[in-house]
Amino acid sequence: MAIVEPLAAAAGERRRWALTSPVDGSALGEWEVATATDVDEALARARRAQPEWAARPVTERAAIIRGAVDVLLARKEEIVEALRAETGKPRAEALTIEILPSCDFLNHWGARAKRQLRDERKRLHGYLLPVKKLTVNYQPLGVVGVITPWNAPFVLSLNPVVQALLAGNTVVLKPSEVTPRSGEWVVRVLREAGVPDDVVQVLHGDGETGAAMVAGDIDKITFTGSVATGRKIAEVCGRRLIPCTLELGGKDAMIVCADADLERAAAGAVYLSMFNTGQVCLSVERIYVVEAVADEFIRKVIEKARAITYGAENKDMGPLFSDRQLEIVRRHVEQAKDKGAVAAVGGAPGAGDGLFFQPTVLVDVDHSMDLMTQETFGPVAAIMRVRDEDEAVRLANDSEYGLSASVFTRDPATVERIGKRLITGSVVHNDAATIYGVAEAPFGGRKSSGVGQVNGVDALRKYTHAQPILIARWATKSEHVWYPYSDKTLETLESILRYAFGNRFVRRLMS
């Protein structure tokens, strides 16, 4: 993300922030902070616009969203330019992390909206079947607030915004204050595709703006960011009795089994620890390798990490996105070295004016080090030898986080066996991070990694209220249990209990 600094403001003037490039320190411009009044006005516009948007057929909303793919492709270079200016990420990563999955999400959710959101007839069981019918209607929640991070500012804004819009909600987006233009492009693309202005809006601001949104006239909050901020949002949403989805980061473990393809495992360890400069919630942040193959695995990792280039242009790896993040990475690495870890590759800030950190491989690490317990979010492959798979599982679970994990082995059955023992939101075989891009897979964390899930086969329904409508099959004057009670009432109830539930064969038929 760009470096962001507050500018002096006279009394009565709006607060402003200045952005500075993480690549070379050059100025990227300024932006104004949206006030609580701005938030209230935006939410009011969204509230007024929502009924008309929800009244449109799902197929019409879906056609607009699918058409946004063409707009995105037409605007691709402008979006990539904004992303690279604010984050410094290489073009290949802007395309891989941001543009490609965004096109897929637009196309996928647009194609499945009608199926996911249509009314459902549910077959009733047991003694109710002859007298009642059930329909479930998926009602939009209303106005949804989406607050998004800086590490993948376009795709992590686009995906929840699109899901909420397709479900018939209006959306107000607050992108990170340090990647404001990258996030704003989501709204620009959707409006150009045909989403009305008041149906999707963007507000630029900092923590105060986000707090005003959470406290405002809103029906759901979707947030991706830090654990500390997520807890505050959850508290407010809990008091207000509105739903929230929180994705709060991770400390993802990679387990390398004795039968792993070590060439792939080593290549994966380096890339999955360092792509996007390690600033991905699904980055590999801890590597546990079984002792039997540790020497060869570490040798290959060192070899591959030494080949990575980093810098401003045409390099494998760009800068860290903020000066604050650079300091966290430096501190974690230095503390680990002080406690006995060895920097086999890198281990220090890089050369140049930007916020660079060398591609780093640390060995001889353990859980006494912050590097193995706290979110580092930097280009560091931290490798720990373990006795066997059981020890790897135990250490992988020894974390306050539980977002995802990866298992490198030649045997898919091993992945399932180990994966079911890991306390994580997801498990990936011979890869990592890709799980967020698998639209069919429900994505979310356990423990401090978050609350709720995005994506999955019912992703759009998570932005709705499932309203059951129970319909009478027959027009009768009364129900047999309504007043007045009589001997006949008791006789009827006793008969149901005796014949429906007193016979095990009938119980099975009615279950």
Side-chain angles (χ1 to χ4, degrees):
M1 58 184 175
I3 303 169
V4 61
E5 296 178 314
L7 298 174
E13 289 185 347
R14 286 177 173 268
R15 292 190 297 121
R16 298 181 64 84
W17 292 80
L19 295 177
T20 303
S21 168
V23 177
D24 57 16
S26 61
L28 295 179
E30 304 172 4
W31 55 268
E32 289 185 346
V33 175
T35 65
T37 299
D38 296 329
V39 172
D40 289 342
E41 291 174 350
L43 294 177
R45 290 192 297 271
R47 181 69 64 191
R48 290 191 295 269
Q50 193 272 330
E52 183 178 348
W53 176 249
R56 296 194 186 196
V58 175
T59 51
E60 184 178 327
R61 299 196 299 263
I64 292 173
I65 296 303
R66 295 190 79 180
V69 176
D70 295 324
V71 179
L72 175 51
L73 292 175
R75 297 291 192 179
K76 170 172 60 83
E77 293 307 317
E78 297 168 90
I79 298 169
V80 168
E81 181 181 351
L83 285 163
R84 298 197 67 205
E86 291 184 333
T87 69
K89 64 178 66 183
R91 177 179 173 81
E93 290 183 351
L95 294 173
T96 302
I97 298 170
E98 308 273 9
I99 303 300
L100 178 59
S102 293
C103 289
D104 186 54
F105 284 140
L106 286 165
N107 191 57
H108 179 84
W109 300 130
R112 281 156 180 78
K114 182 179 178 180
R115 185 187 318 160
Q116 283 198 18
L117 297 170
R118 67 189 175 194
D119 289 356
E120 279 193 308
R121 290 287 298 273
K122 298 286 190 179
R123 185 180 185 278
L124 296 179
H125 75 284
Y127 68 97
L128 288 175
L129 176 60
V131 294
K132 303 290 184 183
K133 296 185 293 186
L134 178 63
T135 298
V136 178
N137 166 44
Y138 293 95
Q139 290 183 332
L141 294 173
V143 180
V144 174
V146 177
I147 303 174
T148 52
W150 46 262
N151 57 326
F154 186 77
V155 68
L156 292 183
S157 297
L158 178 135
N159 194 34
V161 167
V162 164
Q163 291 178 15
L165 288 173
L166 282 167
N169 305 284
T170 50
V171 179
V172 179
L173 167 69
K174 193 203 86 66
S176 170
E177 62 266 33
V178 287
T179 50
R181 296 183 180 90
S182 299
E184 182 180 341
W185 263 108
V186 170
V187 174
R188 295 175 66 178
V189 166
L190 292 171
R191 285 179 171 179
E192 188 172 335
V195 179
D197 288 359
D198 288 346
V199 170
V200 61
Q201 302 173 67
V202 63
L203 289 173
H204 294 305
D206 51 19
E208 291 185 18
T209 310
M213 180 184 292
V214 175
D217 181 20
I218 207 112
D219 298 298
K220 178 174 180 174
I221 290 288
T222 294
F223 171 77
T224 304
S226 71
V227 174
T229 302
R231 290 186 191 279
K232 293 177 183 177
I233 291 173
E235 289 171 3
V236 176
C237 291
R239 288 196 299 272
R240 299 190 57 213
L241 299 179
I242 63 171
C244 62
T245 300
L246 309 174
E247 196 275 278
L248 306 179
K251 191 69 183 175
D252 289 4
M254 170 179 171
I255 296 175
V256 183
C257 299
D259 70 336
D261 178 339
L262 294 185
E263 184 66 25
R264 179 176 178 87
V270 173
Y271 176 76
L272 297 166
S273 298
M274 301 184 191
F275 81 106
N276 211 47
T277 326
Q279 299 164 123
V280 180
C281 59
L282 289 164
S283 289
V284 167
E285 293 225 349
R286 302 175 287 152
I287 301 170
Y288 302 103
V289 56
V290 171
E291 181 66 51
V293 295
D295 288 343
E296 181 64 10
F297 172 75
I298 292 171
R299 184 189 69 77
K300 288 178 177 289
V301 169
I302 291 171
E303 177 184 284
K304 294 178 187 303
R306 282 176 176 163
I308 297 174
T309 60
Y310 72 95
E313 292 292 338
N314 301 317
K315 304 296 184 183
D316 298 323
M317 197 173 77
L320 289 157
F321 297 175
S322 88
D323 49 348
R324 289 170 289 175
Q325 198 58 43
L326 178 63
E327 175 56 26
I328 291 171
V329 177
R330 185 200 63 76
R331 187 175 70 247
H332 281 193
V333 170
E334 287 303 314
Q335 190 230 31
K337 290 193 290 186
D338 289 344
K339 286 177 169 284
V342 175
V345 179
D353 297 327
L355 303 178
F356 298 103
F357 199 92
Q358 298 169 346
T360 296
V361 177
L362 288 182
V363 297
D364 298 337
V365 297
D366 60 47
H367 279 218
S368 71
M369 305 168 185
D370 290 346
L371 186 75
M372 296 296 281
T373 59
Q374 302 300 313
E375 197 170 30
T376 302
F377 238 50
V380 181
I383 305 174
M384 183 174 179
R385 297 168 182 260
V386 294
R387 182 178 58 257
D388 52 26
E389 293 171 0
D390 287 341
E391 185 179 19
V393 170
R394 179 180 64 79
L395 290 168
N397 285 335
D398 180 24
S399 174
E400 68 172 294
Y401 296 98
L403 187 58
S404 190
S406 55
V407 180
F408 280 70
T409 172
R410 298 178 190 270
D411 183 8
T414 299
V415 180
E416 295 197 5
R417 175 172 51 80
I418 291 177
K420 290 175 181 178
R421 297 170 61 195
L422 295 171
I423 308 171
T424 62
S426 55
V427 178
V428 181
H429 179 208
N430 289 348
D431 199 352
T434 53
I435 193 68
Y436 183 82
V438 180
E440 294 85 356
F443 174 77
R446 301 186 64 185
K447 299 188 277 191
S448 291
S449 285
V451 174
Q453 294 174 311
V454 299
N455 298 343
V457 295
D458 60 347
L460 307 186
R461 293 177 182 173
K462 293 168 185 174
Y463 288 94
T464 68
H465 171 72
Q467 181 196 54
I469 300 175
L470 194 61
I471 299 170
R473 289 185 180 273
W474 317 109
T476 59
K477 298 295 184 183
S478 177
E479 295 289 324
H480 59 265
V481 294
W482 289 4
Y483 295 136
Y485 295 150
S486 66
D487 290 343
K488 182 65 174 177
T489 304
L490 294 176
E491 182 182 334
T492 300
L493 291 172
E494 293 289 355
S495 295
I496 292 173
L497 290 170
R498 184 167 58 253
Y499 293 112
F501 297 102
N503 184 302
R504 292 184 179 181
F505 176 74
V506 175
R507 283 210 300 265
R508 284 196 297 270
L509 291 178
M510 293 201 313
S511 61

